[in-house]
Amino acid sequence: MALKTAQEYIDSLRALKSDVWLFGEKVENFVDHPVIRPSINAIALTYKIAHEPEHEDLAVTISSLTGERTNRFTSLFMSPDDMVKKIKMQRMLGQRSGCCFQRCVGMDAINAVYSSTFEIDEKHGTEYHKRFKEWVKYIQQNDLCVQGAMTDVKGDRGQSPSKQPDPDMFVHVVERRPDGIVIRGAKAHQTGSVNSHEMLIMPTLTMREGDEDYSVSCAIPSDSKGVHFIYGRQSCDKRKLEEGDIDVGNFMFGGQEALTVLDDVFVPWERVFMDGEVEFSTMMVERFAANHRQSYGGCKPGIGDVLIGATASMAEYNGVPRASHIRDKIAEMSHLAETLHACGLACCTQGTKTRAGNYQPDILLANVCKMNVTRFPYELTRLAEDIAGGALVTVPSEADLRNPVVGKYVEKYFKGANNVSAEDRIRMLTLINSMTFGLTAPSYRTESMHGAGSPQAMKVMIERQTDMNEKKRLARVLAGIDEREKLTD
Ligand SMILES: Cc1cc2nc3c(=O)[nH]c(=O)nc-3n(C[C@H](O)[C@H](O)[C@H](O)COP(=O)(O)OP(=O)(O)OC[C@H]3O[C@@H](n4cnc5c(N)ncnc54)[C@H](O)[C@@H]3O)c2cc1C
């Protein structure tokens, strides 16, 4: 089947029988819901770019499984260059959407499960990898959107899955039947889950003996019986239900997260990719995390580019573009965004081949990349808020701007330098507002903090991946405690 167009993707969602809940009500037509539609538009962009000749090199690749053209979001990374292209594609999509375009989680999960299942089969003689390859071919041939479902709701964070007072705090197998398994639990904060055709489920953390039922990876259609989506609130989301577009800021695009409840969902064996192999949970989690932490070195600098452009525009609208401290702050913003991108690219070029044949980014550098992402967008946001001015949070509504009585005051008192209209100035303010406070959810801040793992998860990996004994040896040699290096014989 050909690569889907944006329109074909949107139409394909209409065929889903998904159970979606928002504001306490069941949503019968989620595709046209004004709160949800911007997030669908953001994913539609990932389909659109595959048909843009100038972006084909980034957005389309030849499948290593079928030999056919496939969207990069469904592909396996078969070289470091594939990962570099992924990062560049993500930056471009961040620039064009100004938000999370949601399809990366599935792409990163596909690559982690592909390499992990190969190694499970090597050890256990199972056939997970063969099944997984068949499933990936189906995804590629139908150009489906896949949700990467890792994070469990976790209940008491101090207890392992099997020790939780409520056994459903981590997704687990509740029944094994001749034809498949039945799973129960819930996945939290699931990006783009309502907008995806399929869900790829993985364990969320290292499993230990006793956690066998929780060591499960499988794929399910997102409208399977027993799947319920409870849509996550976004700051100021009800502005999308109002007249006009100005108050929404980024009106066209937005992110999406949902609590995904799996209430006794049946999964046939051919879609089960791990069932009880506790010792491989860490591999799957770490590989997914490295792929996904790397991804943030693409999308977040791209979104940062929009924020930098909006901030520089506000400086112009306010008549201060040449002020030395403003220029310095905007240069600092570029430095931060480019540093994020440099990290994202670095872990690709240092990537290594897995035993299954696909490539894995350098785990240490991928964690450094995401660690920076938990910090730099906060500084970028702080600088944007500094330069934009207080109107960022005090600007009148579009209804006031259009009002026959007070509109003339808004137009007069909100106009900018060099005859910039009040409307343009307000539009730029609400764009910044939506990006930094979260209306285009998830906000540039909190998603950067927790998406792909909270900062401590990266710290643990950075500590684990650092060869401290080697660093100490280097110091001992130069200090003369160990024998110094000889320059000549
Ligand atoms: C916008 C957004 C999108 C996301 N998209 C996805 C997605 O598509 N798919 C997916 O699978 N996940 C997704 N996530 C989930 C993300 O990976 C988690 O938010 C992240 O791993 C943190 O988990 P948590 O939110 O449960 O926070 P918590 O785990 O509760 O963390 C809160 C704090 O508690 C600390 N903490 C937690 N456990 C312990 C412990 N045992 N000991 C000491 N300290 C602890 C953490 O370090 C952190 O400081 C998304 C998250 C966000 C915010």
Side-chain angles (χ1 to χ4, degrees), residues 105 147-154 157-158 187-192 202 256-257 288 292 296 442 446-447 450-457:
V105 205
Q147 208 288 302
M150 175 166 276
T151 309
D152 288 288
V153 293
K154 296 184 290 198
R157 271 80 173 141
K187 294 286 187 185
H189 328 286
Q190 295 302 290
T191 295
M202 301 163 284
Q256 172 190 100
E257 273 73 36
F288 167 73
H292 203 42
Y296 279 67
T446 316
E447 197 221 342
H450 288 293
S454 313
Q456 186 58 18

Side-chain angles (χ1 to χ4, degrees), residues 321-428:
R322 304 307 305 160
S324 62
H325 82 101
I326 298 283
R327 287 170 52 201
D328 181 68
K329 284 167 182 165
I330 292 175
E332 174 66 11
M333 291 177 83
S334 292
H335 162 73
L336 292 167
E338 297 307 332
T339 305
L340 295 180
H341 195 51
C343 282
L345 291 172
C347 47
C348 305
T349 59
Q350 298 304 300
T352 48
K353 196 173 185 174
T354 68
R355 293 170 70 83
N358 64 333
Y359 273 73
Q360 177 71 33
D362 181 272
I363 291 183
L364 174 59
L365 294 181
N367 279 279
V368 170
C369 176
K370 176 67 207 328
M371 182 58 105
N372 284 339
V373 171
T374 66
R375 298 171 180 170
F376 294 3
Y378 284 78
E379 185 60 7
L380 279 154
T381 299
R382 191 183 71 79
L383 293 166
E385 291 180 10
D386 174 353
I387 293 169
L392 191 58
V393 290
T394 64
V395 67
S397 68
E398 180 171 357
D400 290 315
L401 176 68
R402 310 271 185 235
N403 183 275
V405 179
V406 295
K408 61 179 183 290
Y409 298 126
V410 179
E411 274 174 21
K412 176 178 166 72
Y413 292 113
F414 267 85
K415 69 173 181 283
N418 302 315
N419 282 330
V420 168
S421 70
E423 178 169 334
D424 284 359
R425 193 159 166 262
I426 292 172
R427 282 186 182 278
M428 202 55 80

